[in-house]
Amino acid sequence: MATDALLASASIILLGAVSKLLADRFGVPNVVFLLGFGILFGPEVVGLLDPSLFSNALSTIVSLAVAIIVFEGAFNLTSSRIRSASTATLRLVTLGSAITFLGLGLTIRYLLDLQWSLSFLISALLVATGPTVITPILEQTDVRENVKTTLETEGIVNDPVASVLGAVIFSAAALGERPFTGGGPVGEEIVIEFVTQLGVGVLIGIVTAVSVIYVLRNFSRTPQNSRITVIATALISFAVADLFASEAGVVSVAVAGLLVGNADIPYEEEIEGFSGDVTAIVLSVVYIILASLLRFEELVEFGLAGVAVVLIAMLVFRPLSVFLSTIRSDFSRNERLFISAVGPRGIIPASTATLFSLQLAQSNVANAESVVSVVFLVILVTVVLEAGGAPFIAQRLDIVPMTILIIGGSRIGRTLAERLEERGENPIIIERDVEVVTDLRADGYSVVHGNGTSAEVLDEAGVEGAKMVVAATSEDDQNILACQTARTKFGVENLLAQVNDTENVDAFEDLGVRTTTPTLATVDTMDDLILRPSFFAWLSGVGEENDVTEVTADSASVVGRQLGDIDFPDESTVVLVQRDSEYIIPKSDVVLEEGDVVTLLGTTDAVEDAARILSE
């Protein structure tokens, strides 16, 4: 038996590594492969992985893994990212969660004909999206930073809330300790118990975080000591909180991770890298083991009604909660659609449902097995479709930001990055000064430390996937060398440089680098204010209410047609067509050719719709 367990454990870790390799190769979140391997090698197919080998320790394994995963997710949720999250995020974790909880509870009750207590127990567990599945998705999907922050914050908050809510319903109603009614004192006692368990978790998380921050600052002298201390903190915080209140451990590690991650502690970067590696291992272990628990006959037990529950969760309540929560937000329509399409459930509901189902069965509660069956069905379908399809959904909705490398974190580089982020792009700053790097990261910028003239640093920053490199340092020799390296080593053709000495402009342009100089930029701005004040005032709203963009015409629906025959949105207009080196005034009888670069002007939403017409 020991040998079998050892082989199974080693196989799980190997399959986890293979899943990560496949995920990186095909651009699909690795949780899809982890679930697939768990089912494939579980008792239902190959039979290599037998969950009974871990039956005595399964609860402990899952609990400790959840502690590390939730702690790591909260640790990386910095205060600057939280501040950048909009009020829509707050509404999503409150109003959105309430819509999901109530809507799914009623749906399960009437479609699956389960008792009220089990229906709302299941819906409570399914509120959680969670970092265990959201994080791998966002690693493989390029979206705007505020979209990432919203999804990650939602997962970090919803995981502990869903766990505690499920535990309260489980203890107060599902085991029959009290009748489950629609109101009266039971509802009041459930609220009190819910708040109590949350409070216990928050208190223990704060105490643990304060203690470990003190220890790290005063006693840690090596990265290894810091890494081990932080991992131990996650585990002990979870265990102590869970000892005092069921499911409070998830709340505790989330609070502890958030506080420690935002504290000034030594060797923070080393801790981040190490905790990420540990998380990858425990993710593999838990997902594969839990997936091996699946039984096909249980998944199909509810037939079309079960499928209907999953579809309603994905296509009704998730979009409803997102769109109501993001009313009057700075998210574009397509970003709201993407957030609506990405709400897969993960380890927290899977592990908690498994434990609850076993205890319900031991207490002879009717339909006890339905808890794990329904939860696993929703998890399986949402992970495969939403996690697996997220990169393709982002591409289809055209919300993948353009990555632009900015060499130099000066005021110009910082302001440019801020402007690009406001427009939904993905700027990455390369800066060699350690203090400047620290300040930039504290303000929420994506920064790579190093010299932008180094091929290794450019590669680390992702130059191969960048659409443009902007050299914006105060030294012309650094700027021209960085542009040369980007072009000769990585084939980047779209280069822009700040030229501080106007006498050096010709040298840059001889290399095919577009230039701008502080002096000429100031003069041009003044000239615009003098000659074109109204247009300049309109341009100042670009990125907010107005937009100007260029798009290449390659859609079969527009190529070969006259501009006057194309149904553009009313609040957008074509102001210029570039064909090779020729610039064409866009009259209604101009026929578009494939590859024409069309300049669009109008309101932000209208320009976005017009660009889609030209490119799809």
Side-chain angles (χ1 to χ4, degrees):
M1 179 66 73
T3 302
D4 292 341
L6 178 61
L7 177 61
S9 300
S11 300
I12 288 172
I13 295 175
L14 175 62
L15 291 172
V18 173
S19 297
K20 189 68 172 68
L21 293 173
L22 292 173
D24 292 340
R25 172 65 179 82
F26 295 105
V28 176
N30 67 329
V31 292
V32 176
F33 296 104
L34 292 174
L35 283 178
F37 283 145
I39 296 171
L40 176 63
F41 291 99
E44 292 291 278
V45 187
V46 176
L48 174 64
L49 305 177
D50 186 355
S52 63
L53 296 172
F54 307 96
S55 58
N56 295 330
L58 182 59
S59 175
T60 302
I61 292 173
V62 171
S63 295
L64 294 179
V66 166
I68 292 174
I69 293 164
V70 174
F71 185 93
E72 197 260 346
F75 184 88
N76 290 311
L77 195 61
T78 61
S79 58
S80 58
R81 297 186 67 189
I82 295 174
R83 287 195 301 269
S84 69
S86 61
T87 55
T89 306
L90 177 61
R91 291 197 296 266
L92 189 59
V93 298
T94 52
L95 174 63
S97 296
I99 291 172
T100 301
F101 173 62
L102 296 174
L104 272 182
L106 293 171
T107 301
I108 293 168
R109 169 69 181 93
Y110 289 109
L111 285 184
L112 303 184
D113 197 28
L114 298 179
Q115 53 264 55
W116 285 102
S117 56
L118 292 189
S119 298
F120 281 98
L121 172 60
I122 294 170
S123 70
L125 296 177
L126 291 177
V127 165
T129 51
T132 59
V133 65
I134 290 297
T135 299
I137 289 174
L138 297 178
E139 287 177 352
Q140 300 291 341
T141 309
D142 289 326
V143 292
R144 199 153 57 107
E145 192 64 26
N146 67 339
V147 175
K148 286 187 177 182
T149 300
T150 295
L151 288 170
E152 288 177 339
T153 304
E154 179 193 20
I156 292 294
V157 173
N158 280 355
D159 256 358
V161 170
S163 297
V164 172
L165 181 60
V168 170
I169 295 177
F170 172 76
S171 61
L175 285 179
E177 294 179 9
R178 293 174 178 82
F180 191 82
T181 62
V186 174
E188 183 178 318
E189 290 177 8
I190 288 177
V191 172
I192 292 174
E193 188 170 352
F194 175 69
V195 173
T196 300
Q197 292 195 23
L198 277 178
V200 168
V202 170
L203 178 61
I204 294 177
I206 292 174
V207 172
T208 306
V210 171
S211 301
V212 74
I213 291 170
Y214 176 81
V215 170
L216 290 174
R217 287 176 176 174
N218 293 278
F219 298 100
S220 179
R221 295 294 180 266
T222 66
Q224 184 182 28
N225 290 341
S226 293
R227 293 193 296 258
I228 293 174
T229 302
V230 166
I231 295 298
T233 297
L235 299 178
I236 196 65
S237 177
F238 184 95
V240 171
D242 203 59
L243 182 66
F244 283 95
S246 176
E247 301 303 321
V250 181
V251 181
S252 177
V253 292
V255 172
L258 191 63
L259 294 177
V260 175
N262 285 280
D264 183 15
I265 57 176
Y267 311 112
E268 185 172 351
E269 289 188 9
E270 290 85 350
I271 293 171
E272 288 179 2
F274 177 72
S275 61
D277 292 340
V278 173
T279 298
I281 294 174
V282 296
L283 267 174
S284 304
V285 172
V286 177
Y287 265 115
I288 291 176
I289 290 178
L290 291 179
S292 69
L293 291 170
L294 293 176
R295 297 293 179 268
F296 292 151
E297 65 272 13
E298 293 177 356
L299 292 179
V300 300
E301 174 185 357
F302 296 109
L304 292 178
V307 174
V309 168
V310 177
L311 293 178
I312 290 173
M314 293 173 56
L315 303 179
V316 177
F317 294 120
R318 176 64 180 177
L320 180 63
S321 64
V322 169
F323 273 82
L324 288 179
S325 300
T326 56
I327 291 175
R328 292 189 297 275
S329 69
D330 61 348
F331 293 114
S332 68
R333 183 187 61 186
N334 282 5
E335 286 173 338
R336 296 168 77 189
L337 286 171
F338 177 79
I339 297 172
S340 299
V342 180
R345 276 58 175 183
I347 282 180
I348 298 295
S351 57
T352 309
T354 301
L355 300 178
F356 285 173
S357 185
L358 293 174
Q359 294 179 46
L360 290 169
Q362 292 171 1
S363 301
N364 297 317
V365 174
N367 300 315
E369 70 284 351
S370 299
V371 174
V372 72
S373 299
V374 177
V375 170
F376 268 67
L377 182 61
V378 174
I379 290 172
L380 184 63
V381 176
T382 56
V383 166
V384 171
L385 295 183
E386 297 185 345
F392 308 103
I393 295 171
Q395 290 281 356
R396 183 63 180 170
L397 292 175
D398 193 26
I399 63 168
V400 177
M402 179 169 62
T403 298
I404 298 175
L405 298 190
I406 302 172
I407 300 170
S410 64
R411 185 180 299 276
I412 290 177
R414 180 191 298 250
T415 305
L416 176 60
E418 182 179 356
R419 184 73 60 85
L420 290 170
E421 282 190 344
E422 290 174 354
R423 291 179 57 81
E425 308 301 349
N426 180 36
I428 298 174
I429 300 174
I430 299 176
E431 173 58 49
R432 60 186 178 182
D433 189 305
V434 175
E435 293 184 2
V436 175
V437 168
T438 301
D439 291 340
L440 287 169
R441 286 176 176 166
D443 291 336
Y445 295 98
S446 298
V447 188
V448 173
H449 177 228
N451 193 321
T453 64
S454 166
E456 290 78 10
V457 173
L458 287 172
D459 187 45
E460 180 186 350
V463 66
E464 290 188 349
K467 303 294 178 63
M468 175 183 286
V469 172
V470 179
T473 76
S474 59
E475 302 173 28
D476 287 351
D477 57 341
Q478 293 287 309
N479 290 342
I480 198 167
L481 182 55
C483 290
Q484 284 179 319
T485 305
R487 171 166 291 167
T488 58
K489 295 288 187 180
F490 301 100
V492 179
E493 295 296 330
N494 201 357
L495 301 169
L496 174 64
Q498 169 187 327
V499 182
N500 302 281
D501 187 343
T502 54
E503 294 183 359
N504 295 329
V505 170
D506 290 342
F508 280 86
E509 294 185 346
D510 288 344
L511 293 173
V513 179
R514 288 184 295 163
T515 62
T516 181
T517 69
T519 301
L520 291 179
T522 302
V523 171
D524 288 341
T525 299
M526 290 181 174
D527 192 34
D528 284 336
L529 284 169
I530 294 170
L531 299 179
R532 293 169 286 273
S534 298
F535 184 64
F536 189 85
W538 185 91
L539 283 175
S540 65
V542 168
E544 299 173 1
E545 297 179 357
N546 308 319
D547 199 6
V548 179
T549 191
E550 292 182 358
V551 62
T552 301
D554 53 16
S555 172
S557 63
V558 299
V559 172
R561 296 180 61 189
Q562 293 184 349
L563 285 173
D565 295 334
I566 301 173
D567 188 19
F568 289 113
D570 291 339
E571 295 182 330
S572 69
T573 185
V574 176
V575 294
L576 189 66
V577 176
Q578 180 185 354
R579 182 172 301 156
D580 298 325
S581 58
E582 180 186 4
Y583 293 93
I584 303 171
I585 301 300
K587 298 179 180 179
S588 61
D589 60 351
V590 171
V591 177
L592 284 181
E593 297 181 6
E594 186 172 2
D596 285 352
V597 178
V598 180
T599 300
L600 297 163
L601 179 148
T603 63
T604 300
D605 289 341
V607 166
E608 183 180 299
D609 291 339
R612 192 176 301 108
I613 292 172
L614 292 167
S615 61
E616 291 185 356

